Amino acid sequence: MGLNRTYFRPSTFILVGIPGLEADHIWISLPFCTVYVIALVGNSTILYIIKADQTLHEPMYIFLSMLAVNDVIFSCTTVPKMLAILWFHSGEINYTSCLGQLFFVHSLSVVESGILTAMAYDRYVAICYPLRYSSILTNVLIAKLGLVILIRAVTLGVFFPILVQRFQYFESIVISHSYCDHMAVVKLACGDTRPNNAYGLFVSAFVGLFDLIAIICSYVMILRAVFKLGSKEARQKALGTCGTHICVILIAYIPAFFTFLAHRFGQETIPHHVHIILANVYVLLPAMLNPFVYGANTKQIRDRVLRMFQHEKGYI
């Protein structure tokens, strides 16, 4: 009898965390909690340094600030609830809150990709038009780029909860995930899920391909400009300024790529708990690593961090 039960617009869903590994939830929570805390501290430090140091109020660091803010909000959208599930078995989530989380997860991933694309444009202008860098990338243009990134993300993201709201009945209220992922919720729905599948694929393809093509085009033009430089030292310096951004792109896109492939083509071959862990790694790994990548490879930020530690030691 229980197998045939359906739920009319349930008021709550139940998130299970990492399905199949419930007995190990406490141990699984430790690395996720550690990474989360490091991500919060690292990105907050980056934001503080950029705000406090007037010399860092340049386009590159403004985009980095945007990325840090997005990483903090993105991780805070999913991780606190996941830790509540892993620690206190608090898996219940309100229907409206679930739709809200679903919207933010997908919108913020689009924002992340948009910021990385804008950062590629920043590097293109810095290397190809160094003398006009400040006059091209004005605060007004940066604000417009930020607004376009946000509008695109909200416009694409808002249709995910709208498409879910089409469904009146659900086969179950138990979501086999640690947060309200679009397809994890859609799997429970009674009705035609093809529009949801098609839209999810469209957004992934549109955002991924468009932004990757824009990034690749930027770097093709950067390489053309670099190899026209006369001295080897100048070429190395120019490429060095792009190395950090390339690392951040790889950190963001590689987990996203593997998560997408595993979800689309590995449903029957990859254990479900691996899908969930990959989805959480996609959220947390860039947020943790980005501050370290920029801190290690950007002299201004590295020097400022060292001065902060030396200042703290002076009080001990």
Side-chain angles (χ1 to χ4, degrees):
M1 290 176 64
L3 292 175
N4 296 322
R5 182 177 181 182
T6 57
Y7 298 81
F8 177 76
R9 277 288 177 87
S11 59
T12 58
F13 286 110
I14 297 172
L15 295 162
V16 301
I18 313 292
L21 299 177
E22 286 83 358
D24 300 315
H25 271 183
I26 292 294
W27 296 109
I28 293 169
S29 72
L30 297 179
F32 280 115
C33 181
T34 302
V35 171
Y36 178 55
V37 171
I38 292 171
L40 291 182
V41 172
N43 284 289
S44 299
T45 302
I46 290 288
L47 288 169
Y48 170 76
I49 289 171
I50 292 173
K51 183 179 184 300
D53 193 336
Q54 292 288 330
T55 63
L56 298 181
H57 293 183
E58 298 177 0
M60 175 178 137
Y61 299 105
I62 295 173
F63 287 125
L64 177 55
S65 298
M66 292 180 185
L67 187 65
V69 169
N70 190 73
D71 283 341
V72 168
I73 298 173
F74 199 1
S75 57
C76 288
T77 299
T78 61
V79 179
K81 183 61 181 177
M82 180 185 72
L83 293 177
I85 297 167
L86 300 182
W87 287 340
F88 310 114
H89 309 290
S90 178
E92 193 170 288
I93 185 169
N94 180 273
Y95 177 81
T96 305
S97 300
C98 184
L99 293 184
Q101 189 182 55
L102 188 152
F103 164 74
F104 279 108
V105 165
H106 291 283
S107 295
L108 291 169
S109 65
V110 176
V111 169
E112 180 107 358
S113 184
I115 294 171
L116 292 174
T117 306
M119 293 172 86
Y121 175 67
D122 167 75
R123 292 299 84 206
Y124 160 70
V125 175
I127 290 174
C128 296
Y129 305 99
L131 299 178
R132 297 171 54 200
Y133 179 61
S134 299
S135 61
I136 294 175
L137 278 171
T138 61
N139 288 338
V140 173
L141 179 60
I142 293 170
K144 287 179 179 178
L145 287 172
L147 188 61
V148 168
I149 290 168
L150 188 60
I151 290 172
R152 182 183 74 154
V154 171
T155 302
L156 292 173
V158 75
F159 285 101
F160 286 105
I162 288 173
L163 285 169
V164 170
Q165 283 188 304
R166 295 183 307 116
F167 302 112
Q168 298 294 318
Y169 293 93
F170 291 81
E171 294 177 355
S172 172
I173 59 171
V174 179
I175 302 173
S176 295
H177 211 297
S178 60
Y179 59 82
C180 289
D181 176 70
H182 174 240
M183 292 312 300
V185 176
V186 168
K187 282 180 182 178
L188 307 178
C190 300
D192 185 6
T193 62
R194 286 176 297 180
N196 299 72
N197 290 323
Y199 186 71
L201 191 60
F202 162 74
V203 171
S204 298
F206 171 72
V207 173
L209 289 176
F210 179 85
D211 290 356
L212 272 178
I213 289 170
I215 290 169
I216 290 169
C217 287
S218 294
Y219 275 99
V220 167
M221 289 184 284
I222 286 170
L223 289 173
R224 287 177 60 187
V226 165
F227 287 113
K228 288 179 182 178
L229 296 174
S231 68
K232 182 180 179 181
E233 184 180 345
R235 288 196 295 270
Q236 288 177 339
K237 184 178 179 180
L239 289 173
T241 63
C242 300
T244 303
H245 180 242
I246 292 172
C247 288
V248 171
I249 290 171
L250 294 175
I251 290 167
Y253 276 99
I254 288 175
F257 181 70
F258 279 110
T259 301
F260 175 79
L261 287 181
H263 180 75
R264 292 288 170 183
F265 308 109
Q267 292 291 337
E268 297 180 0
T269 56
I270 300 175
H272 189 56
H273 66 267
V274 175
H275 287 274
I276 309 306
I277 291 171
L278 276 174
N280 284 285
V281 167
Y282 164 63
V283 173
L284 272 174
L285 190 65
M288 182 193 74
L289 292 181
N290 287 346
F292 287 98
V293 171
Y294 272 97
N297 294 295
T298 307
K299 187 177 184 300
Q300 294 94 321
I301 294 177
R302 186 172 65 246
D303 290 346
R304 182 71 190 224
V305 171
L306 291 173
R307 286 203 301 271
M308 285 174 59
F309 278 111
Q310 288 168 358
H311 184 69
E312 289 295 325
K313 287 181 180 178
Y315 286 101
I316 298 175

